Amino acid sequence: MEIQIQKNVALRQFTTYHTGGPAQYFAVARDWQTFFHLREFAKKEGMPFLILGGGSNVLFADEGYPGMVVLNQMDKVAFHPEAVTSESGVHLMKLIALAAQRNMGGISALANVPGTVGGAVYGNAGTRDLWMGDALLSAIILPENGDKPMQVDKDYFKFGYRDSVIKKTKDIVLAATLKLKPTPAGVIRIEVNEYIKSRMAKQPMGLSCGSFFKNPTHFPSAGWLIEQAGCKGMKEGGAMVSDKHANFILNTGNATTKDILTLALKVHQMVKEKHNTILEPEVQIFPTNPFKS
Ligand code: EPU
C-alpha cells in the first residue's frame, strides 16, 4: 500500500471558516489501514495527529498545524433492513439523501448538522430534536492503541452534551451504524426542508463554525448571554459577531484565525463580566486552545 504524505498543505481549503495555515504533514485516508499507518508514523515521529472530517467545527491557527492532519474520505455505505452502516467520512446530508432514496428516514433532524458521520460521533453533534448519540446503534473504531478495527456499542461512547469519550481516548471512528425508520422519500424531503428553513430563520449563513460556544448547563443559552452582554455586531478585522445569532462569529471574507480568536476572547470576557459565566468554546481550536487556562 502506498500512502502519499504531502508537506505544508493549506488547511483553510478544508474548513468552513476558510482560515488557518498549513499542516506540516497532510494525507488523505480512504481505508482504515491508512489511518493506522499514518497514526503509527506520527507516533514514531512524536508529532500531534489529527483527523479532519467536514472541517465544520475546527479552527486552525494562522501559523498552521505542527503535525499530521489526515483528511477522512472513507465513504462506503451499506443498508440493512432498518439501519445503515456508514463509513465515517460520509457527510450527514449525503447519508440522509442516500437513505431517502430507499424510503428510509428517522435522521432528518441531522440535516441541520454540517459535517461528517465521524465528526458527529466524536462531538455528539445534533440538535434538540436528535443527537448523534440517539441515532447510533453501534460503531467500528480503531482503538487508540490497537492495530485492528473493533466493534463497540453506543454505551462505549458515554455521550453527553456535545461530548463523547473518544475526545479523550483518541480512538478513531471508522464507521457508524444508525437506526433508520421506513419513511416515504417525499415525507423526508418535507422534513429536511423544514429543518433547514427553521435553521436559516435563526442562524446566519456566512462562513463560520456554527455555534462558537457551548450552551452552559445551568444558564440561558450562549446566544442570549452574548446578546445581553452587548456583543452583537462587534468586529475585529474580518471577524464579526453575527447580528442574527450572537453565538455565531463570522468570517466576513478576509478574517484570519487571529481576528476570530481575538473577537471570541472579547466576547468571552464580556459575558464573564456581565453574567459571571465562563463560556466554553464548542469549536475545536488547534494547535492550542487559548480559552483553557
Ligand atoms: N438567543 C438570543 N440571542 C441570539 C441567539 C439566540 O437571545 O442572538 C436565544 C433564542 O431566542 C432562544 C435561545 O437563545 O431563546 C436558543 O437559541 P437557538 O434556538 O437559536 O438555539 P441555540 O441554543 O443557540 C443550539 C445549537 C445549534 C443548533 C440549534 C437548533 C449549541 C451550542 N447550539 O443553538 O447548533 O443548530 O440549537 O437546534 O448547542 C452548532 O452546533 O454549530 C449549532 C448551530
Side-chain angles (χ1 to χ4, degrees):
M1 179 185 18
E2 199 186 312
I3 302 174
Q4 281 201 345
I5 300 178
Q6 296 168 262
K7 278 189 171 178
N8 293 321
V9 172
L11 289 169
R12 63 200 307 274
Q13 61 189 310
F14 301 113
T15 73
T16 54
Y17 247 142
H18 284 246
T19 67
Q24 189 185 358
Y25 293 99
F26 178 88
V28 172
R30 295 194 179 84
D31 51 56
W32 73 266
Q33 289 92 341
T34 304
F35 274 119
F36 175 71
H37 288 294
L38 291 169
R39 192 176 66 179
E40 289 301 296
F41 171 79
K43 265 187 207 162
K44 216 167 65 206
E45 300 292 320
M47 65 168 77
F49 175 85
L50 178 80
I51 301 169
L52 197 52
S56 54
N57 209 23
V58 288
L59 188 48
F60 288 111
D62 299 313
E63 294 72 28
Y65 185 78
M68 163 73 71
V69 174
V70 182
L71 185 65
N72 183 352
Q73 288 195 345
M74 296 201 301
D75 62 357
K76 289 189 208 67
V77 173
F79 284 89
H80 318 294
E82 291 204 7
V84 60
T85 300
S86 167
E87 283 192 328
S88 50
V90 176
H91 281 256
L92 283 169
M93 201 56 226
K94 184 177 169 197
L95 189 62
I96 291 166
L98 288 173
Q101 284 172 10
R102 287 160 178 81
N103 294 309
M104 294 305 290
I107 52 173
S108 302
L110 295 175
N112 262 341
V113 179
T116 55
V117 168
V121 173
Y122 177 88
N124 191 16
T127 67
R128 277 173 225 111
D129 298 307
L130 184 67
W131 298 97
M132 192 61 178
D134 302 329
L136 193 83
L137 293 172
S138 64
I140 299 169
I141 61 166
L142 185 60
E144 183 176 15
N145 294 309
D147 59 359
K148 296 249 169 351
M150 178 176 124
Q151 173 146 354
V152 293
D153 62 18
K154 163 205 191 114
D155 295 341
Y156 178 86
F157 292 96
K158 300 192 169 63
F159 287 118
Y161 168 66
R162 306 271 153 139
D163 196 31
S164 80
V165 79
I166 60 171
K167 283 194 173 178
K168 292 191 198 79
T169 61
K170 303 290 176 207
D171 303 326
I172 299 174
V173 179
L174 300 172
T177 299
L178 309 184
K179 62 173 172 259
L180 299 177
K181 207 169 72 195
T183 315
V187 173
I188 298 171
R189 203 173 313 116
I190 293 167
E191 286 173 359
V192 167
N193 285 341
E194 281 303 312
Y195 280 119
I196 292 174
K197 216 165 77 188
S198 78
R199 178 157 71 103
M200 283 173 76
K202 286 192 208 163
Q203 301 174 4
M205 287 296 117
L207 305 180
S208 77
C209 60
S211 301
F212 195 94
F213 295 102
K214 292 182 187 173
N215 281 335
T217 30
H218 300 299
F219 288 88
S221 72
W224 187 87
L225 292 167
I226 297 168
E227 176 169 354
Q228 297 307 311
C231 304
K232 267 192 169 173
M234 254 168 44
K235 288 184 182 149
E236 179 72 38
M240 178 183 166
V241 178
S242 167
D243 279 322
K244 196 165 181 181
H245 193 301
N247 197 16
F248 279 65
I249 297 184
L250 302 172
N251 172 2
T252 60
N254 60 353
T256 58
T257 295
K258 185 160 177 260
D259 292 340
I260 294 165
L261 286 177
T262 306
L263 186 56
L265 283 161
K266 272 191 197 160
V267 167
H268 190 256
Q269 184 60 25
M270 284 169 73
V271 168
K272 186 174 157 199
E273 280 163 18
K274 169 90 182 171
H275 306 286
N276 199 23
T277 299
I278 307 284
L279 291 178
E280 196 189 318
E282 188 203 35
V283 60
Q284 307 278 306
I285 305 168
F286 299 108
T288 324
N289 178 357
F291 293 87
K292 275 189 189 140
S293 48

